Amino acid sequence: EVQLQASGGGLVQAGGSLRLSCKVSGITFDDYAITWFRQAPGKEREGISCISPTDGYRHYKDTVKGRFTISSDNAKNTVYLQMNSLKPEDTATYYCAAQVIVTAGCQYYGMDYWGEGTQVTVSS
């Protein structure tokens, strides 16, 4: 059974930090790129960052660039999202998803597997 287990969410004040984890099981970790998405109430889901664990390729959307850092621990089959300088507009449910690697890099569409979300709430 494929599982992507996101954790690490919580309540934090503006300017604070959180680190999300995405533990992957049931698939060959090196064969998949991992993408973090978020969805705020009443808004569309947006991809914010992705990583290809095999070659370390990373990408960030402008909304999080310079504040969030994506990384992977291949030995633990886990991808992390370090979130610093959090803003109230970062409040959302955060999801991780996996996509089999067919081209270099990583994508924000065409995910093969999704995990359950973890809630991040940033107070002002």
Side-chain angles (χ1 to χ4, degrees):
E1 178 187 6
V2 178
Q3 287 191 330
L4 284 78
Q5 188 171 8
S7 62
L11 173 64
V12 64
Q13 288 188 332
S17 299
L18 284 172
R19 188 178 79 157
L20 305 184
S21 299
C22 176
K23 172 71 173 175
V24 179
S25 60
I27 56 177
T28 302
F29 188 70
D30 289 350
D31 290 344
Y32 288 80
I34 304 298
T35 301
W36 283 100
F37 293 83
R38 68 184 181 187
Q39 187 166 22
K43 295 188 176 182
E44 292 188 355
R45 184 176 58 203
E46 63 167 331
I48 56 174
S49 183
C50 61
I51 186 169
S52 177
T54 301
D55 59 15
Y57 175 85
R58 311 171 194 199
H59 186 272
Y60 303 92
K61 290 297 187 70
D62 287 345
T63 51
V64 304
K65 191 178 295 183
R67 300 188 298 124
F68 292 8
T69 302
I70 193 169
S71 62
S72 68
D73 184 334
N74 293 13
K76 296 182 179 180
N77 287 4
T78 301
V79 170
Y80 302 99
L81 187 68
Q82 178 67 42
M83 307 187 297
N84 298 330
S85 303
L86 283 162
K87 306 175 183 180
E89 50 264 44
D90 294 317
T91 294
T93 302
Y94 284 69
Y95 303 86
C96 57
Q99 182 188 46
V100 66
I101 297 171
V102 294
T103 61
C106 54
Q107 310 294 334
Y108 294 98
Y109 58 88
M111 300 296 112
D112 296 298
Y113 302 103
W114 289 86
E116 298 294 326
T118 185
Q119 178 66 37
V120 172
T121 303
V122 184
S123 63
S124 58

